[in-house]
Amino acid sequence: MTDRQDFASASVPRHLARGGLGFGALAGSVLLIPAVGPAALLLVPVGLLVLRGCPMCWTIGLLQTISKGRLRRSCVDGRCELSVARPAGSARSYGDGVVRLRAPEPDGVPPREPVAPGR
C-alpha cells in the first residue's frame, strides 16, 4: 500500500471543468462580496472542495491526469526510475513495454537511443 495521494481525474476535459468550477467559485466568493456581503464567502469551501484542496492540488492533479498511463515509476532497493510506457512489442520496447531513459548529456541534450535493461 502506498501513501501517495492521487489528485488526477478520469480525463483532461473533466479536470479542466473541475478547475473552471473551482476557480469560478473562489473568484465569485470575492467578487460577490459587494453585492451580497459576507455570505458570498460561503463559496470558498465549495471552490476548495471542487479543486480537491488548494489551487496547487488542482495543478498537481492536472499534471497527473496528463501523464496518466504515459509514465511509469518503479523503485527497487531505494532507487527509483521514471520510464516512458510503450505498448508491448513496439519497435522501441524491450519486451516489458517500457523504454528506459538515460540521463541527459552534459550539454542538456537528451540521448536519442533508449537504454536496454541491464546496461
Side-chain angles (χ1 to χ4, degrees):
M1 186 172 176
T2 60
D3 294 339
R4 67 175 251 240
Q5 290 182 328
D6 191 17
F7 296 104
S9 295
S11 68
V12 173
R14 182 177 292 178
H15 197 84
L16 293 175
R18 269 193 29 245
L21 289 172
F23 287 113
L26 291 177
S29 70
V30 173
L31 296 175
L32 290 174
I33 289 176
V36 295
L41 295 176
L42 293 173
L43 288 174
V44 171
V46 173
L48 293 177
L49 181 68
V50 173
L51 292 176
R52 293 184 187 163
C54 64
M56 184 55 86
C57 297
W58 179 85
T59 305
I60 292 169
L62 178 62
L63 296 174
Q64 287 178 343
T65 302
I66 291 171
S67 70
K68 190 182 263 185
R70 294 187 178 134
L71 299 176
R72 183 177 299 161
R73 187 178 85 175
S74 59
C75 297
V76 177
D77 296 328
R79 184 169 183 252
C80 294
E81 181 179 292
L82 187 62
S83 315
V84 177
R86 298 277 185 198
S90 71
R92 295 183 59 162
S93 72
Y94 294 98
D96 62 355
V98 177
V99 174
R100 309 286 189 295
L101 299 177
R102 291 186 288 184
E105 298 298 324
D107 61 358
V109 177
R112 293 181 181 237
E113 294 299 317
V115 176
R119 281 176 74 184

